[in-house]
Amino acid sequence: MRPRYTATAERHGPWWAITVSELPGVFSQSRRLDRVEAMARDAIALFLEAPSDSFDVEVREVLSPDVEHAVHAAIVARAEVLARQEAASATSRAAVRTLADLGLPHRDIGRLLDLSHQRVGQLLGTKPAIGAVGRSRSGQRRPR
């Protein structure tokens, strides 16, 4: 089993200060959070005199309570929006299917549900026939 170390990153001015609780005396810093793991990995490897891929690193961000609250609120709000989008999609699929079962054309379904006729086709899982021919605005036949 590979050793696992926890790199704690705490914001100090423009830097993330990095400590490794399992290895007192191992410190580093990074300007960006996405670089914390690499910086911690390098510091640990130097301290242990071991290859940087011989252990695992878990990054733990430490934020002030007000920042933690703002981050949590944003994550919760996005999750709620996603859940509502999924519910709206399921409801739209059911409505499209119901209207299609009544024999309505895609364009009528789209107009009723404020969707494009292409989206209606996607929701129904249908595609236009290959080589289908439509009419241009001038009335001339044209391939679709």
Side-chain angles (χ1 to χ4, degrees), residues 51-107:
S52 62
D53 61 353
S54 65
F55 51 85
D56 294 322
V57 176
E58 177 185 344
V59 175
R60 195 180 113 241
E61 304 87 5
V62 175
L63 304 170
S64 66
D66 57 326
V67 173
E68 184 75 37
H69 176 73
V71 168
H72 178 73
I75 291 170
V76 167
R78 283 199 320 266
E80 289 170 354
V81 167
L82 181 60
R84 288 182 179 177
Q85 285 175 332
E86 290 173 355
S89 291
T91 303
S92 291
R93 279 191 300 279
V96 164
R97 174 58 51 206
T98 298
L99 294 169
D101 289 347
L102 293 175
L104 272 69
H106 289 189
R107 289 187 187 272

Side-chain angles (χ1 to χ4, degrees), residues 33-48:
L33 194 54
D34 66 340
R35 297 290 304 144
V36 167
E37 181 182 345
M39 298 302 290
R41 188 173 291 283
D42 288 347
I44 294 166
L46 284 170
F47 184 82
L48 297 176

Side-chain angles (χ1 to χ4, degrees), residues 106 126-134 143-144:
H106 289 189
T126 59
K127 297 179 182 176
I130 295 176
V133 176
R144 276 195 223 171

